[in-house]
């Protein structure tokens, strides 16, 4: 492969969406809080039944594949079961259901599940921060239980497996697995919203949670908004930068992306044909003959906005007496987390609202709300979907909301209207629904009327579009898409791993170095010789000594190549016999020479660009303009990162048309946007040096993308080394400036030894 193709290949691997995961891989290990098989225990022994809910059905097709395992909790506390019975259950789960049980005790369920997950994470991530009850003991339980899952996973997983961890109960697990099985591909998917930074930052254990998640190679969310919130939290809390939703963290690249979860479309679209569903449909028609039906279905949860929905329905009835006696709301609330006080309060509130509405507005022969506080079996639920004119989905916050999708899929007659909250993830995909602000009661009341009065033609036209989308982007597509992306990220990580500059590669480089008569060494300064984070911003005396030893070797030509101004570099290297390329190539000087400039370049463009940069400085506190001989820099290191990110993209937009006219290029480095003439780059500067002589050995080391031109200019067999892992033209990667120091130290030792002998 030619050097220039390497970065292109990195990009291709990243962009790949072919079903790569289906070939050449180990097992798929699915990990979630609950198994897809629920276990019950009675006098006759254990019973096994499929778990309900989107996640279990969604992943079942993947789980049915030959080589997969599901790790999770059975649903019964381990301390309620004897050791022998636990073994029987574990064996049957493994053999008959390809499942591995994580034994959780009643106390763990209390503190980890009800305590940390449902009393801290759930309310906080659904924007109910005042419901969150921060308690260090619950955090400890969360950490311990994540460790329990970790031990089970490493018991059954191997390095070549794909491990897919699900949801907010297991956010520490990816990092734990990554440290034990670094080569495994780990995906994480969050089923609930990821809140904005301002809300997420309230969590006392925010660093640990982000660190846990970034152990995954791919982190997925339902929507881009959640992905954006996550990236912003990572940048602000962990100071980890990202580009194109690739986070650089601890020398790994973590991909962040949106995967809107679909439903088992065929299951809902064909449900109407089932005899049991037909039977239920007949029942509903008989019981509610002549009524328009408004449906509401949720688990009992304060995030679902059930009380305001009832209030809005009551307002609608109050404002539209012509609908009295002609419309019924079927309100299904599936009991959930009933041990948690906030849920008990909510249940009381709903009971009261229903009874007040029915009591004040109902009459003999007409009850405005038919209320069911229990789950409906599938047949009854889908029959109700098919017979309802309107579905009210008004959560205050909802990761996705699958009910909305199931309803549309079940309406194969293309009838029915959804009133959908704009704060549900599903609103991003179901744009044809009537969207509402879930806190705006009058708006919901008006939307109910609008939905009831929508023409059949309009309903059909809108529902056909939604059907097409739901059929294509179904649950199988979702799972495949996630795994394909995970495979692609894995391929890229593997390619990075192959290019790691390890012991063997170093021995080879040293052998080539020793065998060579004429050697050329290019070394970048910031981030390569000098650690960007280093407090003193000075080279260590050790590094200076090594550079001196290398440069004094008569076989060597050592060139420092940097974007820094010439005067700065002159001061740092003034008494070393090194060559210097400054300002990305605008200035150069040989080891015993004076400064020269490479190009005759006009600076007229600065008059146009400078006022624009100054304008952006005024609009963005903490930023400044720096001017050097042939470039202008907008430095935003001290600015508030979110604002700087917005201004940066605006500024780039503003500059793009101008730079083309002036033949300028825009360079982006850590917290810096630099403008300079396109003819000036490290590649051209290095080429001029390189072409001046015949070399037996060439080494180029750099850390950021201005060094890519230098790497690209060199050939495949020459040593190009990038500090830090990234998409790159370089042949090898090292992790840190310390690795560079160690390598240059080794080479310097050989030069000193030769000079001495
Ligand atoms: C979380 C996120 C995200 C509900 N009631 C009955 C019943 N259900 C089934 C539905 C649907 C599922 O449960 C509910 O899924 P949702 O998406 O609406 O909500 P959550 O349970 O809160 O799920 C959510 C989801 O994860 C997936 O990522 O969409 O945002 O909060 O499949 O059909 N099923 C039956 N009877 C009921 O009474 N049979």
């Amino acid at each position: 492969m030619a050097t220039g193709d390497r970065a292109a290949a990195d990009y291709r691997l990243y962009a790949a969406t072919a079903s790569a995961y289906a070939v050449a891989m180990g097992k798929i290990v699915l990990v979630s809080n609950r198994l897809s098989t629920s276990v019950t225990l009675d006098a006759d022994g254990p019973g096994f039944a499929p778990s309900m809910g989107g996640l279990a059905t969604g992943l079942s097709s993947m789980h049915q594949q030959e080589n997969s395992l599901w790790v999770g909790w059975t649903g019964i506390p381990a301390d309620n079961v004897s050791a022998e019975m636990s073994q029987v259950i574990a064996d049957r789960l493994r053999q008959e259901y390809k499942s591995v049980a994580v034994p959780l005790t009643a106390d763990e369920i209390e503190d980890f599940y009800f305590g940390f997950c449902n009393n801290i994470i759930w309310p906080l991530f659904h924007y109910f921060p005042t419901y969150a009850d921060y308690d260090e003991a619950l955090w400890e339980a969360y950490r311990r239980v994540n460790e329990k899952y970790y031990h089970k996973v490493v018991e059954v997983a191997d390095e070549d497996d794909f491990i897919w961890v699900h949801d907010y109960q297991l956010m520490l697990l990816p990092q734990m697995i990554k440290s034990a099985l670094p080569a495994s591909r780990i995906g994480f998917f969050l089923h609930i919203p990821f809140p904005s930074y301002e809300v997420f930052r309230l969590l006392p254990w925010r660093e640990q949670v982000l660190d846990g998640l970034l152990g995954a190679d791919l982190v997925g969310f339902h929507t881009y908004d959640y992905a954006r919130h996550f990236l912003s939290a990572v940048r602000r809390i962990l100071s980890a930068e990202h580009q194109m939703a690739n986070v650089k963290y601890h020398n790994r690249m973590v991909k962040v992306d949106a995967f809107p979860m679909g439903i088992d479309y065929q299951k809902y679209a064909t449900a109407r044909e089932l005899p049991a569903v037909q039977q239920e449909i007949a029942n509903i028609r008989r019981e509610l003959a002549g009524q328009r039906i408004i449906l509401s279905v949720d688990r009992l949860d304060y995030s679902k906005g059930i009380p305001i929905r009832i209030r809005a329905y009551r307002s609608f009835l109050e404002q539209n007496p012509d609908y009295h006696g002609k419309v019924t709301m079927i309100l299904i609330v599936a009991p959930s987390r009933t041990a948690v006080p906030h849920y008990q309060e909510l249940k009381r509130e709903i009971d009261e609202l229903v009874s007040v509405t029915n009591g004040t507005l109902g009459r003999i022969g007409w009850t405005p709300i038919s209320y069911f506080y229990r789950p409906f079996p599938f047949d009854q639920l889908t029959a109700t979907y098919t017979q309802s004119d309107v579905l009210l989905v008004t959560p205050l916050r909802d990761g996705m909301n699958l009910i909305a999708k199931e309803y549309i899929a079940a309406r194969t007659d293309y009838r029915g209207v959804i009133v959908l909250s704009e704060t549900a993830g599903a609103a991003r995909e179901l744009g044809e629904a009537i969207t509402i602000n879930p806190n705006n009661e009058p708006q919901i009341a008006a939307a109910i009327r609008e939905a009831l009065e929508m023409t059949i033609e309009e309903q059909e036209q809108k529902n056909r579009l939604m059907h097409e989308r739901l059929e294509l982007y179904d649950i199988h597509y979702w799972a495949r898409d996630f795994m394909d992306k995970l495979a692609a990220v894995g391929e890229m990580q593997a390619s990075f791993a192959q290019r790691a500059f390890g012991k063997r590669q170093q021995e080879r480089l040293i052998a080539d170095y020793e065998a060579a008569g004429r050697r050329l060494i290019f070394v970048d300064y910031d981030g390569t010789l000098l650690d960007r984070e280093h407090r003193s911003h000075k080279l260590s005396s050790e590094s200076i000594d090594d550079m001196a030893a290398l440069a004094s070797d008569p076989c060597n030509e050592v060139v420092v190549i940097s974007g820094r101004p010439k005067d700065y570099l002159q001061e740092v290297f003034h008494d070393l016999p090194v060559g210097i390329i400054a300002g990305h190539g605008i200035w150069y000087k040989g080891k015993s020479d004076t400064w020269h400039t490479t190009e005759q370049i006009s600076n007229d463009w600065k008059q146009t660009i400078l006022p624009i940069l100054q304008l952006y400085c005024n609009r963005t506190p903490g930023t400044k303009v720096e001017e050097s001989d042939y470039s202008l820099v907008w430095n935003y290191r001290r600015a508030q990162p979110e604002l700087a990110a917005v201004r940066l993209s605006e500024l780039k937009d503003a500059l793009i048309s101008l730079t083309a006219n002036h033949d300028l290029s825009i360079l982006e480095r850590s917290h810096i946007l630099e403008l300079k003439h396109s003819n000036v780059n490290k590649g051209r500067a290095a080429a001029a040096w390189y072409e001046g002589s015949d070399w037996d050995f060439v080494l180029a080391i750099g850390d950021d993308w201005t060094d890519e031109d230098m790497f690209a200019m060199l050939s495949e067999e020459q040593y190009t080394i990038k500090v830090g892992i990234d998409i790159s033209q370089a042949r090898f990667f090292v992790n840190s400036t310390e690795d560079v120091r160690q390598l240059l130290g080794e080479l310097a030792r050989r030069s000193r030894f030769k000079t001495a002998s």
Side-chain angles (χ1 to χ4, degrees), residues 52-54 122 126 191-192 222 261 268 297 299 304 332 334 374-378 381 385 398-403 406:
M52 277 213 304
W122 180 276
H126 285 88
H191 290 260
I192 64 174
H222 281 303
M261 186 171 176
Y268 288 91
V297 193
R299 276 186 313 98
K304 303 285 183 185
I332 304 167
R374 57 183 149 85
F376 269 30
F378 174 79
L381 181 68
Y385 284 157
D398 212 335
M400 172 53 74
N401 195 293
L402 299 177
I403 304 231
E406 292 166 3

mmCIF file of all heavy atoms in Angstrom, residues 52-54 122 126 191-192 222 261 268 297 299 304 332 334 374-378 381 385 398-403 406, ligand 1:
data_model
loop_
_atom_site.group_PDB
_atom_site.id
_atom_site.type_symbol
_atom_site.label_atom_id
_atom_site.label_comp_id
_atom_site.label_asym_id
_atom_site.label_seq_id
_atom_site.Cartn_x
_atom_site.Cartn_y
_atom_site.Cartn_z
ATOM 1 N N MET A 52 -41.220 -9.952 28.150
ATOM 2 C CA MET A 52 -41.933 -9.018 27.257
ATOM 3 C C MET A 52 -41.045 -7.807 27.007
ATOM 4 O O MET A 52 -40.038 -7.631 27.650
ATOM 5 C CB MET A 52 -43.215 -8.556 27.944
ATOM 6 C CG MET A 52 -44.344 -9.532 27.779
ATOM 7 S SD MET A 52 -45.940 -8.713 27.687
ATOM 8 C CE MET A 52 -46.006 -7.774 29.178
ATOM 9 N N GLY A 53 -41.457 -7.000 26.085
ATOM 10 C CA GLY A 53 -40.778 -5.715 25.899
ATOM 11 C C GLY A 53 -39.922 -5.668 24.646
ATOM 12 O O GLY A 53 -39.548 -6.697 24.085
ATOM 13 N N GLY A 54 -39.645 -4.444 24.231
ATOM 14 C CA GLY A 54 -38.962 -4.182 22.973
ATOM 15 C C GLY A 54 -37.584 -4.802 22.882
ATOM 16 O O GLY A 54 -37.225 -5.401 21.874
ATOM 17 N N TRP A 122 -32.629 6.990 36.298
ATOM 18 C CA TRP A 122 -33.872 7.159 35.526
ATOM 19 C C TRP A 122 -34.436 8.584 35.653
ATOM 20 O O TRP A 122 -34.634 9.263 34.653
ATOM 21 C CB TRP A 122 -34.908 6.088 35.912
ATOM 22 C CG TRP A 122 -36.195 6.219 35.159
ATOM 23 C CD1 TRP A 122 -37.248 7.024 35.467
ATOM 24 C CD2 TRP A 122 -36.547 5.561 33.927
ATOM 25 N NE1 TRP A 122 -38.238 6.910 34.528
ATOM 26 C CE2 TRP A 122 -37.840 6.015 33.567
ATOM 27 C CE3 TRP A 122 -35.893 4.631 33.107
ATOM 28 C CZ2 TRP A 122 -38.497 5.560 32.423
ATOM 29 C CZ3 TRP A 122 -36.557 4.188 31.965
ATOM 30 C CH2 TRP A 122 -37.838 4.651 31.628
ATOM 31 N N HIS A 126 -34.276 11.511 32.620
ATOM 32 C CA HIS A 126 -35.560 11.943 32.065
ATOM 33 C C HIS A 126 -35.919 13.364 32.519
ATOM 34 O O HIS A 126 -37.080 13.748 32.510
ATOM 35 C CB HIS A 126 -36.679 10.966 32.455
ATOM 36 C CG HIS A 126 -36.627 9.688 31.673
ATOM 37 N ND1 HIS A 126 -35.888 8.607 32.070
ATOM 38 C CD2 HIS A 126 -37.206 9.317 30.510
ATOM 39 C CE1 HIS A 126 -36.019 7.628 31.185
ATOM 40 N NE2 HIS A 126 -36.816 8.030 30.226
ATOM 41 N N HIS A 191 -31.011 2.926 26.005
ATOM 42 C CA HIS A 191 -32.418 2.933 25.570
ATOM 43 C C HIS A 191 -33.192 4.151 26.050
ATOM 44 O O HIS A 191 -34.305 4.383 25.601
ATOM 45 C CB HIS A 191 -33.114 1.644 26.040
ATOM 46 C CG HIS A 191 -32.621 0.436 25.317
ATOM 47 N ND1 HIS A 191 -33.306 -0.142 24.278
ATOM 48 C CD2 HIS A 191 -31.479 -0.275 25.443
ATOM 49 C CE1 HIS A 191 -32.613 -1.162 23.820
ATOM 50 N NE2 HIS A 191 -31.502 -1.270 24.511
ATOM 51 N N ILE A 192 -32.624 4.893 26.976
ATOM 52 C CA ILE A 192 -33.323 6.082 27.499
ATOM 53 C C ILE A 192 -32.599 7.330 26.984
ATOM 54 O O ILE A 192 -31.518 7.223 26.407
ATOM 55 C CB ILE A 192 -33.409 6.031 29.044
ATOM 56 C CG1 ILE A 192 -32.011 6.099 29.679
ATOM 57 C CG2 ILE A 192 -34.137 4.774 29.507
ATOM 58 C CD1 ILE A 192 -32.049 6.208 31.209
ATOM 59 N N HIS A 222 -30.641 6.474 20.649
ATOM 60 C CA HIS A 222 -31.781 6.488 19.733
ATOM 61 C C HIS A 222 -31.709 7.652 18.750
ATOM 62 O O HIS A 222 -32.149 7.534 17.621
ATOM 63 C CB HIS A 222 -33.087 6.620 20.516
ATOM 64 C CG HIS A 222 -33.565 5.341 21.156
ATOM 65 N ND1 HIS A 222 -33.807 4.198 20.438
ATOM 66 C CD2 HIS A 222 -33.872 5.047 22.443
ATOM 67 C CE1 HIS A 222 -34.244 3.249 21.259
ATOM 68 N NE2 HIS A 222 -34.284 3.736 22.473
ATOM 69 N N MET A 261 -34.222 2.887 17.281
ATOM 70 C CA MET A 261 -34.682 1.496 17.386
ATOM 71 C C MET A 261 -36.027 1.311 16.690
ATOM 72 O O MET A 261 -36.942 2.117 16.859
ATOM 73 C CB MET A 261 -34.811 1.123 18.858
ATOM 74 C CG MET A 261 -35.129 -0.320 19.098
ATOM 75 S SD MET A 261 -34.985 -0.639 20.874
ATOM 76 C CE MET A 261 -35.522 -2.326 20.956
ATOM 77 N N TYR A 268 -46.506 -6.957 14.107
ATOM 78 C CA TYR A 268 -47.658 -6.075 14.326
ATOM 79 C C TYR A 268 -48.509 -5.935 13.072
ATOM 80 O O TYR A 268 -49.731 -5.845 13.150
ATOM 81 C CB TYR A 268 -47.190 -4.705 14.842
ATOM 82 C CG TYR A 268 -46.707 -4.827 16.267
ATOM 83 C CD1 TYR A 268 -45.369 -5.083 16.548
ATOM 84 C CD2 TYR A 268 -47.611 -4.763 17.323
ATOM 85 C CE1 TYR A 268 -44.944 -5.249 17.858
ATOM 86 C CE2 TYR A 268 -47.192 -4.928 18.640
ATOM 87 C CZ TYR A 268 -45.847 -5.178 18.902
ATOM 88 O OH TYR A 268 -45.435 -5.358 20.197
ATOM 89 N N VAL A 297 -51.564 4.090 26.134
ATOM 90 C CA VAL A 297 -50.945 2.878 26.717
ATOM 91 C C VAL A 297 -49.544 3.209 27.207
ATOM 92 O O VAL A 297 -48.722 3.708 26.432
ATOM 93 C CB VAL A 297 -50.738 1.759 25.650
ATOM 94 C CG1 VAL A 297 -50.394 0.431 26.318
ATOM 95 C CG2 VAL A 297 -51.896 1.618 24.707
ATOM 96 N N ARG A 299 -46.390 2.028 30.472
ATOM 97 C CA ARG A 299 -46.053 1.540 31.806
ATOM 98 C C ARG A 299 -46.344 2.698 32.758
ATOM 99 O O ARG A 299 -46.255 3.866 32.363
ATOM 100 C CB ARG A 299 -44.550 1.253 31.905
ATOM 101 C CG ARG A 299 -44.113 -0.082 31.408
ATOM 102 C CD ARG A 299 -42.639 -0.312 31.681
ATOM 103 N NE ARG A 299 -41.771 0.799 31.312
ATOM 104 C CZ ARG A 299 -41.326 1.720 32.156
ATOM 105 N NH1 ARG A 299 -41.651 1.682 33.443
ATOM 106 N NH2 ARG A 299 -40.537 2.694 31.739
ATOM 107 N N LYS A 304 -43.917 9.518 31.495
ATOM 108 C CA LYS A 304 -44.825 9.294 30.359
ATOM 109 C C LYS A 304 -45.915 10.368 30.233
ATOM 110 O O LYS A 304 -46.669 10.373 29.281
ATOM 111 C CB LYS A 304 -45.490 7.908 30.452
ATOM 112 C CG LYS A 304 -44.502 6.737 30.531
ATOM 113 C CD LYS A 304 -43.850 6.423 29.194
ATOM 114 C CE LYS A 304 -42.923 5.205 29.283
ATOM 115 N NZ LYS A 304 -42.182 4.952 28.049
ATOM 116 N N ILE A 332 -54.752 2.509 29.312
ATOM 117 C CA ILE A 332 -54.117 1.295 29.840
ATOM 118 C C ILE A 332 -52.828 1.713 30.539
ATOM 119 O O ILE A 332 -51.963 2.358 29.937
ATOM 120 C CB ILE A 332 -53.772 0.297 28.706
ATOM 121 C CG1 ILE A 332 -55.025 -0.040 27.894
ATOM 122 C CG2 ILE A 332 -53.129 -0.974 29.270
ATOM 123 C CD1 ILE A 332 -54.739 -0.758 26.590
ATOM 124 N N ALA A 334 -49.777 -0.060 32.571
ATOM 125 C CA ALA A 334 -49.192 -1.335 33.024
ATOM 126 C C ALA A 334 -48.401 -1.057 34.293
ATOM 127 O O ALA A 334 -47.505 -0.200 34.300
ATOM 128 C CB ALA A 334 -48.290 -1.909 31.946
ATOM 129 N N ARG A 374 -53.534 -2.577 34.501
ATOM 130 C CA ARG A 374 -52.927 -3.911 34.347
ATOM 131 C C ARG A 374 -52.427 -4.006 32.912
ATOM 132 O O ARG A 374 -52.915 -3.284 32.035
ATOM 133 C CB ARG A 374 -53.944 -5.012 34.611
ATOM 134 C CG ARG A 374 -55.171 -4.949 33.737
ATOM 135 C CD ARG A 374 -56.150 -6.052 34.137
ATOM 136 N NE ARG A 374 -57.533 -5.691 33.914
ATOM 137 C CZ ARG A 374 -58.174 -5.827 32.776
ATOM 138 N NH1 ARG A 374 -57.544 -6.283 31.706
ATOM 139 N NH2 ARG A 374 -59.445 -5.481 32.662
ATOM 140 N N PRO A 375 -51.458 -4.887 32.675
ATOM 141 C CA PRO A 375 -50.995 -5.014 31.293
ATOM 142 C C PRO A 375 -52.041 -5.748 30.465
ATOM 143 O O PRO A 375 -52.772 -6.597 30.999
ATOM 144 C CB PRO A 375 -49.716 -5.840 31.416
ATOM 145 C CG PRO A 375 -49.777 -6.505 32.744
ATOM 146 C CD PRO A 375 -50.708 -5.726 33.619
ATOM 147 N N PHE A 376 -52.139 -5.400 29.201
ATOM 148 C CA PHE A 376 -53.003 -6.145 28.288
ATOM 149 C C PHE A 376 -52.182 -7.246 27.630
ATOM 150 O O PHE A 376 -51.041 -6.986 27.243
ATOM 151 C CB PHE A 376 -53.520 -5.206 27.179
ATOM 152 C CG PHE A 376 -54.824 -4.539 27.498
ATOM 153 C CD1 PHE A 376 -55.194 -4.247 28.798
ATOM 154 C CD2 PHE A 376 -55.705 -4.207 26.461
ATOM 155 C CE1 PHE A 376 -56.398 -3.609 29.075
ATOM 156 C CE2 PHE A 376 -56.912 -3.589 26.725
ATOM 157 C CZ PHE A 376 -57.266 -3.285 28.040
ATOM 158 N N PRO A 377 -52.754 -8.443 27.457
ATOM 159 C CA PRO A 377 -52.025 -9.439 26.671
ATOM 160 C C PRO A 377 -51.878 -8.929 25.233
ATOM 161 O O PRO A 377 -52.659 -8.089 24.785
ATOM 162 C CB PRO A 377 -52.901 -10.686 26.729
ATOM 163 C CG PRO A 377 -54.065 -10.360 27.573
ATOM 164 C CD PRO A 377 -54.039 -8.914 27.932
ATOM 165 N N PHE A 378 -50.910 -9.494 24.522
ATOM 166 C CA PHE A 378 -50.594 -9.033 23.169
ATOM 167 C C PHE A 378 -51.838 -8.957 22.259
ATOM 168 O O PHE A 378 -52.058 -7.957 21.574
ATOM 169 C CB PHE A 378 -49.532 -9.963 22.558
ATOM 170 C CG PHE A 378 -49.227 -9.673 21.116
ATOM 171 C CD1 PHE A 378 -48.385 -8.624 20.772
ATOM 172 C CD2 PHE A 378 -49.794 -10.438 20.101
ATOM 173 C CE1 PHE A 378 -48.108 -8.337 19.438
ATOM 174 C CE2 PHE A 378 -49.527 -10.165 18.767
ATOM 175 C CZ PHE A 378 -48.688 -9.110 18.437
ATOM 176 N N LEU A 381 -54.020 -6.092 23.194
ATOM 177 C CA LEU A 381 -53.371 -4.811 22.939
ATOM 178 C C LEU A 381 -53.406 -4.484 21.445
ATOM 179 O O LEU A 381 -53.790 -3.375 21.042
ATOM 180 C CB LEU A 381 -51.920 -4.840 23.433
ATOM 181 C CG LEU A 381 -51.135 -3.555 23.237
ATOM 182 C CD1 LEU A 381 -51.670 -2.431 24.123
ATOM 183 C CD2 LEU A 381 -49.647 -3.764 23.533
ATOM 184 N N TYR A 385 -55.167 -1.506 19.331
ATOM 185 C CA TYR A 385 -54.479 -0.624 18.365
ATOM 186 C C TYR A 385 -55.343 -0.476 17.103
ATOM 187 O O TYR A 385 -55.562 0.625 16.609
ATOM 188 C CB TYR A 385 -53.130 -1.216 17.926
ATOM 189 C CG TYR A 385 -51.971 -1.115 18.912
ATOM 190 C CD1 TYR A 385 -50.886 -2.012 18.820
ATOM 191 C CD2 TYR A 385 -51.906 -0.135 19.890
ATOM 192 C CE1 TYR A 385 -49.795 -1.935 19.672
ATOM 193 C CE2 TYR A 385 -50.815 -0.058 20.762
ATOM 194 C CZ TYR A 385 -49.761 -0.958 20.648
ATOM 195 O OH TYR A 385 -48.687 -0.875 21.497
ATOM 196 N N ASP A 398 -38.991 10.637 26.600
ATOM 197 C CA ASP A 398 -39.001 9.211 26.292
ATOM 198 C C ASP A 398 -37.859 8.931 25.327
ATOM 199 O O ASP A 398 -37.711 9.643 24.329
ATOM 200 C CB ASP A 398 -40.336 8.835 25.626
ATOM 201 C CG ASP A 398 -40.772 7.421 25.967
ATOM 202 O OD1 ASP A 398 -39.900 6.608 26.290
ATOM 203 O OD2 ASP A 398 -41.992 7.141 25.905
ATOM 204 N N GLY A 399 -37.038 7.931 25.653
ATOM 205 C CA GLY A 399 -35.894 7.617 24.801
ATOM 206 C C GLY A 399 -36.330 7.465 23.357
ATOM 207 O O GLY A 399 -35.822 8.137 22.453
ATOM 208 N N MET A 400 -37.298 6.571 23.124
ATOM 209 C CA MET A 400 -37.840 6.371 21.786
ATOM 210 C C MET A 400 -39.353 6.408 21.838
ATOM 211 O O MET A 400 -40.001 7.295 21.385
ATOM 212 C CB MET A 400 -37.320 5.034 21.215
ATOM 213 C CG MET A 400 -37.941 4.607 19.902
ATOM 214 S SD MET A 400 -37.882 5.847 18.603
ATOM 215 C CE MET A 400 -36.183 5.810 18.115
ATOM 216 N N ASN A 401 -39.959 5.415 22.435
ATOM 217 C CA ASN A 401 -41.384 5.095 22.521
ATOM 218 C C ASN A 401 -41.787 4.198 21.369
ATOM 219 O O ASN A 401 -41.994 4.626 20.230
ATOM 220 C CB ASN A 401 -42.303 6.317 22.575
ATOM 221 C CG ASN A 401 -43.695 5.878 23.025
ATOM 222 O OD1 ASN A 401 -44.381 5.149 22.305
ATOM 223 N ND2 ASN A 401 -44.086 6.246 24.221
ATOM 224 N N LEU A 402 -41.881 2.923 21.706
ATOM 225 C CA LEU A 402 -42.174 1.923 20.688
ATOM 226 C C LEU A 402 -43.670 1.787 20.436
ATOM 227 O O LEU A 402 -44.097 1.339 19.373
ATOM 228 C CB LEU A 402 -41.601 0.568 21.118
ATOM 229 C CG LEU A 402 -40.078 0.559 21.296
ATOM 230 C CD1 LEU A 402 -39.603 -0.797 21.794
ATOM 231 C CD2 LEU A 402 -39.374 0.898 19.991
ATOM 232 N N ILE A 403 -44.486 2.178 21.428
ATOM 233 C CA ILE A 403 -45.937 2.040 21.286
ATOM 234 C C ILE A 403 -46.407 2.797 20.039
ATOM 235 O O ILE A 403 -47.229 2.295 19.269
ATOM 236 C CB ILE A 403 -46.642 2.589 22.546
ATOM 237 C CG1 ILE A 403 -46.088 1.843 23.751
ATOM 238 C CG2 ILE A 403 -48.165 2.573 22.404
ATOM 239 C CD1 ILE A 403 -46.956 1.222 24.713
ATOM 240 N N GLU A 406 -45.609 0.728 17.057
ATOM 241 C CA GLU A 406 -46.432 -0.488 16.988
ATOM 242 C C GLU A 406 -47.849 -0.153 16.499
ATOM 243 O O GLU A 406 -48.442 -0.897 15.718
ATOM 244 C CB GLU A 406 -46.506 -1.149 18.380
ATOM 245 C CG GLU A 406 -45.184 -1.730 18.845
ATOM 246 C CD GLU A 406 -45.135 -2.081 20.335
ATOM 247 O OE1 GLU A 406 -46.158 -1.926 21.034
ATOM 248 O OE2 GLU A 406 -44.067 -2.496 20.801
HETATM 249 C C1 LIG B 1 -37.505 1.928 27.203
HETATM 250 C C2 LIG B 1 -37.474 3.436 26.947
HETATM 251 C C3 LIG B 1 -37.562 2.970 24.508
HETATM 252 C C4 LIG B 1 -46.469 -1.744 27.221
HETATM 253 N N1 LIG B 1 -47.650 -1.951 27.821
HETATM 254 C C5 LIG B 1 -48.060 -3.168 27.447
HETATM 255 C C6 LIG B 1 -47.113 -3.712 26.594
HETATM 256 N N2 LIG B 1 -46.143 -2.829 26.458
HETATM 257 C C7 LIG B 1 -44.979 -3.018 25.592
HETATM 258 C C8 LIG B 1 -45.138 -2.230 24.330
HETATM 259 C C9 LIG B 1 -43.708 -1.887 23.953
HETATM 260 C C10 LIG B 1 -43.017 -1.866 25.307
HETATM 261 O O1 LIG B 1 -43.813 -2.533 26.236
HETATM 262 C C11 LIG B 1 -42.863 -0.434 25.835
HETATM 263 O O2 LIG B 1 -41.852 0.188 25.156
HETATM 264 P P1 LIG B 1 -41.659 1.771 25.195
HETATM 265 O O3 LIG B 1 -40.684 2.119 24.166
HETATM 266 O O4 LIG B 1 -42.946 2.446 24.949
HETATM 267 O O5 LIG B 1 -41.208 2.173 26.675
HETATM 268 P P2 LIG B 1 -40.237 1.613 27.881
HETATM 269 O O6 LIG B 1 -40.725 0.361 28.446
HETATM 270 O O7 LIG B 1 -40.137 2.757 28.838
HETATM 271 O O8 LIG B 1 -38.822 1.342 27.193
HETATM 272 C C12 LIG B 1 -38.181 3.759 25.648
HETATM 273 C C13 LIG B 1 -37.479 1.495 24.842
HETATM 274 O O9 LIG B 1 -36.824 1.284 26.089
HETATM 275 C C14 LIG B 1 -36.720 0.730 23.763
HETATM 276 O O10 LIG B 1 -35.426 1.210 23.616
HETATM 277 O O11 LIG B 1 -38.386 3.135 23.359
HETATM 278 O O12 LIG B 1 -38.094 5.142 25.374
HETATM 279 O O13 LIG B 1 -38.085 4.149 28.019
HETATM 280 O O14 LIG B 1 -43.142 -2.878 23.152
HETATM 281 O O15 LIG B 1 -45.809 -2.994 23.387
HETATM 282 N N3 LIG B 1 -47.227 -4.922 26.023
HETATM 283 C C15 LIG B 1 -48.324 -5.636 26.326
HETATM 284 N N4 LIG B 1 -49.284 -5.173 27.161
HETATM 285 C C16 LIG B 1 -49.199 -3.952 27.743
HETATM 286 O O16 LIG B 1 -50.070 -3.541 28.497
HETATM 287 N N5 LIG B 1 -48.473 -6.846 25.769
#
